[in-house]
Amino acid sequence: MKAPLDLDQLQTFISIADTGSFTRAAEEVHRTQSAVSMQMRRLEERIGKPLFEKDGRTNKLTEEGDRLLSYARRLIYLNRETLAAFDDQRLEGTIRIGTPDDYADRFLPEIMARFSRSNPRVELTVICEPTPGLVEHIKRGNLDLALVTHNDTRGQSEVVRREPLLWVTSANHATHEQEILPMAFGRPNCVWRRAAVDVLDRQSREYRVLFSSFSATVITAAVLSGLAISVLPECALRPGMRVLGEADGFDALPDCRIGIMRGQTSQPEIVDALARHIAESLDNISVPVGEETGSFDFAALAFAKMKRTKANQILPGW
């Protein structure tokens, strides 16, 4: 029987993957660079595959290394969750979190399940509002933490995930072929709406806004019923939608960046723990397609590899 994997080696491996550097990883795990190199040699011997290859001055994961990374993150998380389950000094209290309903439907089940298992004494109070409202709640001290659509002009948030912003229509209707495009958007201050309007104006496409709402449910209903076209991040796609691309006459949109905002709180330990769980959860959640502590590195997770929805892909259902 083969010996189990060493968790210290896996933690170091994750640090190297996130920083792209043995030197910076050594600083993070408080080891010498030679000790880190020795750990990785032993891990490669244990796996039986090369995990790194040089890419200029950085260390890039091989295909096998990239494959190991997702397993390593899950093993480290499970180890932390196991220790927390037997910790008599576990966190307890109440934390207030906000998120748009676009993200709540897709992300909250995983986030809440992970966090509650590790912190059963913490009560989560959740509100769903569009990002501008959540930003105001953070500023007024009404929320401890918010999962928002990142916008450089709205204040600082830690980006934890990037997704393509996509043109979507009904798979059962030819709404996108109308001469004057009927659109369903969020409110005028919605960053996705402004991005879509900029592209349409640049293309000199005629359109009219038929539906305007802060509710993702309303926008989704308008699209699925064939009444309008909209723009949604990959996580918000639903069965029965069709993704439109350049072949359909729709230029690419900027990426959607999902970030975490923190408010002023008397419970920083709980906020840090929840922020870490959110980042780890979003890193593990795949896109919904028919195919298939303060030192936590949020930026590395934001650029994690994921399968992408292709233009003209139809999500089966509805």
Side-chain angles (χ1 to χ4, degrees):
M1 178 178 176
K2 290 186 176 181
L5 291 168
D6 185 300
L7 291 178
D8 286 337
Q9 292 175 3
L10 292 178
Q11 184 62 70
T12 301
F13 170 69
I14 291 170
S15 295
I16 297 171
D18 288 347
T19 63
S21 165
F22 275 58
T23 302
R24 291 197 296 273
E27 294 172 357
E28 282 196 358
V29 299
H30 307 292
R31 294 178 182 272
T32 64
Q33 186 171 344
S34 59
V36 165
S37 298
M38 177 62 72
Q39 278 189 308
M40 293 304 97
R41 279 198 295 273
R42 289 175 176 170
L43 182 59
E44 287 183 326
E45 290 171 359
R46 183 70 190 80
I47 296 295
K49 305 284 184 182
L51 302 176
F52 298 98
E53 58 187 3
K54 276 290 185 182
D55 184 13
R57 294 186 177 182
T58 63
N59 290 280
K60 180 182 175 183
L61 292 179
T62 62
E63 184 177 344
E64 297 298 334
D66 191 54
R67 182 180 168 196
L68 175 63
L69 184 59
S70 62
Y71 288 107
R73 291 196 196 278
R74 293 204 295 269
L75 286 168
I76 292 298
Y77 171 79
L78 183 59
N79 176 70
R80 185 160 51 238
E81 183 181 290
T82 302
L83 292 174
F86 294 92
D87 185 1
D88 291 333
Q89 304 299 318
R90 284 180 290 181
L91 298 173
E92 58 181 298
T94 301
I95 186 170
R96 303 161 300 172
I97 176 176
T99 179
D101 56 354
D102 310 79
Y103 303 150
D105 183 52
R106 180 62 181 161
F107 298 140
L108 269 188
E110 174 75 7
I111 291 169
M112 294 172 70
R114 278 174 172 263
F115 186 74
S116 295
R117 283 196 298 266
S118 297
N119 303 278
R121 299 178 186 176
V122 176
E123 176 186 345
L124 288 178
T125 299
V126 183
I127 69 167
C128 291
E129 286 192 19
T131 290
L134 297 176
V135 173
E136 287 303 312
H137 280 306
I138 287 285
K139 290 179 179 178
R140 294 173 184 172
N142 298 330
L143 287 175
D144 300 301
L145 186 147
L147 187 65
V148 300
T149 301
H150 179 85
N151 186 334
D152 294 329
T153 64
R154 282 189 186 139
Q156 187 175 8
S157 69
E158 301 162 292
V159 177
V160 292
R161 187 175 174 100
R162 281 182 186 266
E163 293 194 355
L165 188 61
L166 303 167
W167 299 99
V168 292
T169 187
S170 166
N172 300 315
H173 303 82
T175 314
H176 61 289
E177 296 179 359
Q178 295 185 30
E179 186 174 349
I180 300 177
L181 299 173
M183 306 301 303
F185 286 138
R187 297 294 178 84
N189 59 350
C190 172
V191 64
W192 301 342
R193 174 173 178 159
R194 291 202 298 268
V197 167
D198 287 346
V199 171
L200 291 173
D201 288 344
R202 194 164 58 244
Q203 291 187 265
S204 299
R205 296 291 299 270
E206 289 191 72
Y207 67 92
R208 65 179 183 277
V209 179
L210 289 187
F211 301 94
S212 181
S213 174
F214 63 80
S215 169
T217 302
V218 172
I219 301 301
T220 297
V223 171
L224 290 175
S225 61
L227 296 175
I229 298 166
S230 190
V231 291
L232 294 173
E234 204 163 35
C235 65
L237 298 181
R238 296 293 181 266
M241 289 183 178
R242 176 186 167 193
V243 176
L244 300 170
E246 293 184 3
D248 304 293
F250 292 86
D251 286 353
L253 293 157
D255 278 352
C256 168
R257 293 175 292 169
I258 302 172
I260 290 175
M261 290 191 74
R262 302 170 189 245
Q264 297 298 320
T265 178
S266 59
Q267 304 179 96
E269 298 87 359
I270 300 180
V271 171
D272 286 344
L274 180 56
R276 183 168 59 247
H277 277 75
I278 289 174
E280 290 174 341
S281 296
L282 267 59
D283 184 44
N284 286 328
I285 294 174
S286 60
V287 298
V289 298
E291 305 168 349
E292 242 271 23
T293 65
S295 64
F296 196 81
D297 193 342
F298 291 95
L301 291 184
F303 296 94
K305 293 182 179 178
M306 60 182 72
K307 291 180 181 178
R308 290 302 187 197
T309 308
K310 301 180 178 69
N312 291 319
Q313 182 169 348
I314 296 174
L315 279 72
W318 209 73

